[in-house]
């Protein structure tokens, strides 16, 4: 009888994400401009237990309007307690595991979206709001259990932009001054 060898886990992964949604003030008649869609297609290769690299393309709204963007993914365990990870150009994070219950991190993040408003409320045919924010700063995470996590994040907002649109044409914009921020979070999940 032939002895079966255990199979080695695959070192390559395909990443496919599709995220439909609604970005609306939920007033007035529903319009197709209120529907959103984001998608990601990428390939990730695990070179070792400590290093995964990948690349792909994403259609995301994180810069205020839907854009097709290439991305680079990395997850590198530099030492047993230091990890560098990110999806460039969206976020980068350097994490120091103080112990199994506490992580300290420094991150650079970009986020945003585009929202549709009610034409009757805003007295325009196709009101939209584009929002973009970019931050840098430290985060502390406390893992109370495998499923319960607390976080405290602070730092500096170096881009904070609101753009008011009539359809796809800019009607007005507001760039807020760079400022500090503090945010607390509670998460259920792994």
């Amino acid at each position: 009888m032939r002895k079966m060898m255990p199979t080695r886990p695959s070192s390559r992964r395909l990443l496919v994400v599709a995220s439909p949604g609604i970005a609306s003030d939920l007033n007035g008649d529903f319009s197709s401009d209120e529907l959103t869609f984001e998608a990601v297609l990428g390939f990730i290769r695990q070179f070792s237990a400590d290093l995964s690299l990948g690349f792909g393309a994403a259609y995301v709204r994180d810069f205020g309007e839907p854009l097709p963007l290439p991305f680079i993914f990395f997850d590198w365990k530099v030492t047993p307690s230091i990890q560098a990870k990110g999806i460039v150009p969206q976020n980068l994070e350097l994490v120091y595991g103080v112990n199994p219950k506490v992580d300290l991190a420094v991150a650079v993040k970009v986020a945003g979206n585009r929202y549709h408003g009610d034409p009757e409320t805003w007295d325009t045919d196709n009101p939209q709001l584009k929002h973009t924010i970019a931050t840098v700063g430290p985060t502390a995470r406390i893992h109370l259990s495998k499923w319960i996590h607390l976080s405290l994040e602070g730092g500096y907002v170096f881009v904070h932009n609101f753009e008011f649109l009539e359809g796809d044409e800019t009607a007005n914009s507001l760039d807020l001054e760079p400022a500090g921020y503090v945010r607390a979070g509670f998460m259920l999940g792994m």
Side-chain angles (χ1 to χ4, degrees):
M1 191 192 292
R2 191 170 186 193
K3 190 174 185 181
M4 297 295 288
M5 297 298 290
T7 58
R8 195 172 124 202
S10 173
S11 61
R12 295 182 181 113
R13 293 176 283 170
L14 174 66
L15 174 65
V16 179
V17 178
S19 300
I22 297 174
S24 170
D25 65 2
L26 301 176
N27 287 323
D29 294 333
F30 192 76
S31 158
S32 62
D33 286 328
E34 296 173 73
L35 297 175
T36 66
F37 182 76
E38 293 185 326
V40 176
L41 176 62
F43 301 93
I44 299 172
R45 178 155 186 205
Q46 187 158 354
F47 289 92
S48 70
D50 297 334
L51 178 63
S52 294
L53 294 173
F55 67 93
Y59 182 72
V60 295
R61 301 166 63 87
D62 291 331
F63 296 92
E65 62 184 87
L67 292 172
L69 292 172
F71 70 85
I72 296 172
F73 166 87
F74 68 93
D75 190 347
W76 178 30
K77 193 171 188 179
V78 182
T79 71
S81 58
I82 297 175
Q83 181 180 16
K85 56 186 176 178
I87 300 174
V88 178
Q90 192 177 21
N91 66 61
L92 299 168
E93 188 173 48
L94 184 63
V95 181
Y96 172 66
V98 176
N99 61 49
K101 296 282 188 188
V102 178
D103 292 333
L104 301 176
V106 175
V108 178
K109 300 177 187 176
V110 176
N113 213 327
R114 187 168 175 163
Y115 304 93
H116 186 265
D118 176 28
E120 289 184 27
T121 303
W122 297 99
D123 194 30
T124 184
D125 290 335
N126 189 3
Q128 297 193 39
L129 171 67
K130 186 166 66 170
H131 176 240
T132 306
I133 187 168
T135 62
V136 60
T139 301
R141 293 185 198 101
I142 301 170
H143 311 288
L144 299 175
S145 75
K146 186 177 178 179
W147 292 90
I148 302 172
H149 314 275
L150 300 175
S151 66
L152 182 61
E153 177 182 341
Y156 186 69
V157 178
F158 58 93
V159 172
H160 201 180
N161 174 267
F162 294 92
E163 194 170 342
F164 304 96
L165 306 159
E166 168 59 45
D168 288 329
E169 300 295 320
T170 300
N172 201 351
S173 66
L174 174 64
D175 289 314
L176 299 179
E177 292 293 322
Y181 76 97
V182 176
R183 178 184 315 157
F186 174 77
M187 186 178 104
L188 291 173
M190 295 188 348

